[in-house]
Amino acid sequence: MVLTFDDVEDGKQIEKTILVGMPKKKIFDMLMDLQDTIKLNGEPEDEKEKSQRNRQIIDEVYELVSVILSNNMAGEKITVDWVSEQMEFGEMKEFLAMYVRFCKGEAAAPN
């Protein structure tokens, strides 16, 4: 999967390309953990609990996207801070949906 971002390096605007590979077990585990967090049993009892759950989901999404992007062909570590500077939450949600489709497509392809 090929992704392109506008980035700044040494004070200059550059185009950063990241070639993301197929997921490893850690990524599948993180995807399942996120799904479990989103589908926790029952509704939050109050606004504080709802807020805590939302924060946990947001933190897990940022971490998951960082780990997925770090699984790249160049072996470059992509930090949560970098992800937070580059992507809005809606973009990360869209990216995760696209990544799951990518994984399904690659898994279905022979070889």
Side-chain angles (χ1 to χ4, degrees):
M1 177 178 209
V2 179
L3 302 167
T4 304
F5 296 91
D6 291 329
D7 199 6
V8 176
E9 189 174 286
D10 297 328
K12 296 179 184 178
Q13 188 77 18
I14 63 163
E15 194 172 82
K16 181 180 190 81
T17 301
I18 300 174
L19 296 147
V20 178
M22 288 298 291
K24 295 180 169 82
K25 182 183 181 308
K26 178 181 180 177
I27 293 172
F28 282 120
D29 288 344
M30 290 178 77
L31 282 166
M32 299 305 292
D33 289 346
L34 177 60
Q35 184 177 4
D36 290 345
T37 301
I38 291 170
K39 294 182 178 182
L40 281 174
N41 291 334
E43 286 295 315
E45 291 184 23
D46 55 28
E47 286 301 313
K48 183 177 180 179
E49 186 178 314
K50 183 177 181 178
S51 179
Q52 288 173 334
R53 185 182 296 179
N54 288 340
R55 286 180 202 277
Q56 181 181 0
I57 290 168
I58 290 168
D59 288 346
E60 286 185 27
V61 168
Y62 275 95
E63 181 66 27
L64 176 58
V65 170
S66 170
V67 170
I68 290 170
L69 294 178
S70 292
N71 182 34
N72 60 67
M73 301 305 185
E76 179 182 0
K77 170 82 168 117
I78 305 296
T79 65
V80 170
D81 288 340
W82 187 88
V83 172
S84 69
E85 291 173 10
Q86 293 295 317
M87 301 175 80
E88 295 174 1
F89 194 79
E91 292 172 323
M92 286 187 292
K93 185 178 171 185
E94 184 179 328
F95 165 71
L96 289 172
M98 190 171 62
Y99 184 70
V100 169
R101 285 192 305 272
F102 163 74
C103 293
K104 287 180 179 179
E106 287 294 316
N111 297 359

